[in-house]
Amino acid sequence: MMRWARNLALLLLLSGAAGCATVGSDPRDPLEGFNRAMYSFNDGFDQAIGKPIATAYRDVLPGQVQTWVRNFFANLYDLWTGFNNLIQGKPADAVTDWARFAFNTTLGLFGINDVATSIGLEKHDEDFGQTLGRWGMDEGAYLVWPFWGSSSMRDSAGLLVDFYADPVVMHRPKGVRDVIWGLRAIGKRADLLDASRILEEAALDKYVFQRDAYLQRRRSQVYDGNPPRAAREAPRAEAEDELQPASAAPVAPIAPTTQAPQRAAPEAVEAAVRLLEAPALPAATGG
Amino acid sequence: MLPAFARFATAAAAAAIVLSGGARAQAPAEVPAPDVLVKTVTLEVVDIIQKDKDIQKGDRKKVVALIETKVLPHFNFQAMTASAVGRNWDKASAEQKARLNEEFKTLLVRTYSSALAAYSSQKFEFRPLRAKPTDTDVTVNVRVLQSGTQPVTIDYDMEKRPAGWKVWDVRVGGISLVANYRTEFDNLVRENGIDGLLKALQTKNSSLEQPAAVVNAAGAAKK
């Protein structure tokens, strides 16, 4: 099964490479031709196999059981989250993550109940791609992997490390591992059913919409929800009831720039800077 | 398979809720503070959704109506559209601008109503506002708490207008709604001009107009 998938992936990589001739217009996505080929393969695979299985999982299994499955895997992952927080220089967060693991594994019955959240130990979301970002590595080109989906050069390196640190992947015997791995994958896909439905409805070009969402999301994650927003636009000047030109609402670059908004009044700039600099989540490590 | 989009959508539900309600705040004697507005409206609409059996059964028309009466008054749609269209905005005529505004509004309302349908009793945490009383451009932070997952952040960029505080961008899990449409819109304008963008939006909206009929037809075809 795994070998079959790997061969297929290789085939796709080769066929996708043929699409590279298409020059992408977006500097963040120089491999757009390849990525679009991967994206449409993933989409087809999902429509044919992923989504139907996930839908059946959601409709057949009692909601409580789905929560247990979700919590069980989330709990395992907290160990790795804590390690990432530690090497990102956030020891307090790391301690929270490991305390969560301790509480949930014992009181929460092997993690199926998230008791830690109810006593104020908040869950964090870290992975090695974020750690690399925290350490200053640029995300590099956007990449779409077969089956996995959105990624970037940096996040792909992160994924590789995440993969080898994954207790599910390390589990033996392999037969059991494959079952657990499959269950986790189905559960994850099921949790995204609403999201994918909304994507279908919201996007004019699903590929572009998802890519931009991914890049924005990852950037936010690297900065724990408070990315520097020097590109913050000036306050909207035009009224909603009059159709005045919006005096060139600038295209905000995704890449961080350090240039200050030019049209903003000094006070607004000051307020914006204060908002940007202030840690928005002072109580995030509460407990 | 949609890792980034997951939080976006889950919390777009919450975003919709937070922005809903409070139509009576339209012409107040004194303008309520932005964080107070967000909180009041959120709690009010959560209450409506949890009590309305039709909405829970998935009555999309009712959700759309709820959004139109309660959410829209708090949005500066003109600013959102201008920002999403970006550098091409100045190329549009006044009439095109008005139509872009309408189509984008329709699309967002539909997206919101879809997101609202996914709401299931998450809890909200309202962060204290970090701003001076004299500020006219603020960001209101809300977090959606769910057991077993990291809280989802919703940031409302709001500006003080004569009619009260208006939202000009929403960032869900760090994903800006407006910025996320910018590349799409830009591509469409580059290919076929402003009219091309308008046409794409109209096509999208009309394809969503009969979702029930399409779904039923697809279901019947499968059987």
Side-chain angles (χ1 to χ4, degrees):
Chain A
M1 177 71 183
M2 292 300 277
R3 181 169 302 163
W4 169 83
R6 199 174 55 211
N7 288 343
L8 182 58
L10 279 173
L11 186 72
L12 278 161
L13 285 169
L14 293 172
S15 67
C20 283
T22 322
V23 179
S25 54
D26 196 308
R28 300 165 302 165
D29 191 7
L31 304 173
E32 185 169 343
F34 168 83
N35 286 339
R36 276 192 188 267
M38 290 303 112
Y39 185 85
S40 64
F41 166 78
N42 284 346
D43 203 35
F45 175 81
D46 184 53
Q47 297 291 338
I49 297 170
K51 203 163 132 190
I53 293 177
T55 309
Y57 172 91
R58 183 189 61 180
D59 294 346
V60 172
L61 220 57
Q64 184 59 54
V65 178
Q66 293 177 42
T67 305
W68 288 339
V69 171
R70 188 184 303 121
N71 286 345
F72 175 79
F73 290 114
N75 182 53
L76 283 183
Y77 198 81
D78 275 343
L79 281 175
W80 182 235
T81 302
F83 178 75
N84 277 288
N85 266 326
L86 188 68
I87 60 177
Q88 286 179 29
K90 294 179 285 184
D93 284 3
V95 169
T96 306
D97 298 327
W98 290 333
R100 280 180 54 84
F101 180 79
F103 278 111
N104 284 342
T105 305
T106 53
L107 298 175
L109 288 174
F110 302 108
I112 63 172
N113 297 299
D114 182 7
V115 291
T117 293
S118 44
I119 60 172
L121 293 172
E122 198 169 83
K123 189 167 177 62
H124 300 122
D125 176 15
E126 299 292 346
D127 53 64
F128 202 71
Q130 289 183 50
T131 299
L132 291 174
R134 192 81 176 192
W135 289 349
M137 189 188 279
D138 277 342
E139 63 198 357
Y142 177 72
L143 270 177
V144 180
W145 291 108
F147 302 106
W148 176 260
S150 296
S151 190
S152 65
M153 293 290 193
R154 182 196 68 208
D155 291 340
S156 300
L159 270 179
L160 200 66
V161 177
D162 291 338
F163 181 81
Y164 284 107
D166 185 350
V168 173
V169 172
M170 290 188 281
H171 193 83
R172 291 295 179 278
K174 287 187 176 178
V176 177
R177 176 200 64 186
D178 290 349
V179 171
I180 302 175
W181 190 89
L183 179 64
R184 182 174 64 178
I186 294 166
K188 276 192 180 172
R189 180 63 188 91
D191 287 343
L192 297 175
L193 283 169
D194 284 324
S196 56
R197 179 174 51 82
I198 295 165
L199 171 69
E200 298 271 348
E201 296 189 13
L204 299 168
D205 178 345
K206 279 199 294 179
Y207 172 81
V208 171
F209 202 84
Q210 194 178 322
R211 176 191 68 198
D212 289 9
Y214 177 82
L215 293 173
Q216 282 200 65
R217 172 69 189 151
R218 291 300 287 177
R219 187 168 145 67
S220 165
Q221 283 179 317
V222 165
Y223 291 97
D224 291 335
N226 300 294
R229 288 182 75 225
R232 186 190 175 96
E233 290 169 38
R236 314 285 79 216
E238 67 283 3
E240 51 277 11
D241 47 358
E242 53 180 350
L243 286 167
Q244 295 299 324
S247 52
V251 181
I254 300 294
T257 63
T258 47
Q259 113 198 43
Q262 288 171 347
R263 286 177 53 237
E267 254 183 40
V269 174
E270 196 189 309
V273 167
R274 198 150 31 76
L275 278 167
L276 298 179
E277 285 174 349
L281 312 175
T285 54
Chain B
M1 301 211 176
L2 307 163
F5 204 71
R7 283 168 200 289
F8 175 75
T10 334
I17 291 152
V18 173
L19 287 167
S20 313
R24 64 191 142 79
Q26 258 303 71
E30 72 183 69
V31 176
D35 54 336
V36 174
L37 179 68
V38 165
K39 185 173 179 178
T40 320
V41 158
T42 306
L43 297 178
E44 185 187 338
V45 173
V46 167
D47 195 50
I48 293 177
I49 288 172
Q50 285 180 335
K51 283 177 183 161
D52 193 313
K53 295 240 156 56
D54 295 335
I55 288 179
Q56 281 165 8
K57 281 179 196 154
D59 185 338
R60 289 288 289 278
K61 270 188 187 160
K62 214 161 175 179
V63 183
V64 169
L66 181 72
I67 293 169
E68 279 176 349
T69 50
K70 306 240 166 189
V71 183
L72 294 199
H74 301 292
F75 269 101
N76 184 350
F77 260 109
Q78 171 75 11
M80 292 179 88
T81 313
S83 183
V85 175
R87 60 183 174 187
N88 294 308
W89 184 246
D90 285 340
K91 293 182 198 160
S93 70
E95 191 231 339
Q96 283 173 324
K97 281 174 183 168
R99 284 168 62 203
L100 281 171
N101 202 28
E102 273 311 299
E103 295 293 343
F104 191 42
K105 189 192 282 184
T106 306
L107 182 61
L108 286 187
V109 167
R110 281 182 204 287
T111 307
Y112 265 14
S113 74
S114 186
L116 260 185
Y119 172 77
S120 63
S121 68
Q122 289 92 344
K123 296 260 184 298
F124 297 94
E125 184 187 72
F126 301 92
R127 317 292 298 185
L129 184 65
R130 249 175 265 276
K132 288 183 302 222
T134 49
D135 286 342
T136 56
D137 195 31
V138 301
T139 302
V140 176
N141 309 110
V142 180
R143 302 202 305 159
V144 188
L145 310 177
Q146 285 172 288
S147 127
T149 56
Q150 194 201 28
V152 179
T153 60
I154 309 176
D155 301 316
Y156 297 92
D157 291 325
M158 300 176 81
E159 191 200 6
K160 197 173 189 179
R161 311 279 321 162
W165 288 88
K166 302 284 175 185
V167 175
W168 57 269
D169 195 7
V170 187
R171 279 169 286 129
V172 180
I175 303 170
S176 151
L177 214 56
V178 164
N180 223 60
Y181 276 103
R182 209 170 277 142
T183 316
E184 282 193 294
F185 284 9
D186 202 51
N187 289 346
L188 286 161
V189 171
R190 183 153 19 83
E191 280 158 26
N192 294 307
I194 298 282
D195 281 329
L197 169 60
L198 261 171
K199 204 177 164 198
L201 279 168
Q202 280 162 350
T203 310
K204 179 77 196 175
N205 284 335
S206 59
S207 78
L208 293 171
E209 227 154 60
Q210 315 94 1
V214 171
V215 169
N216 288 343
K222 270 179 199 164
K223 280 163 197 168

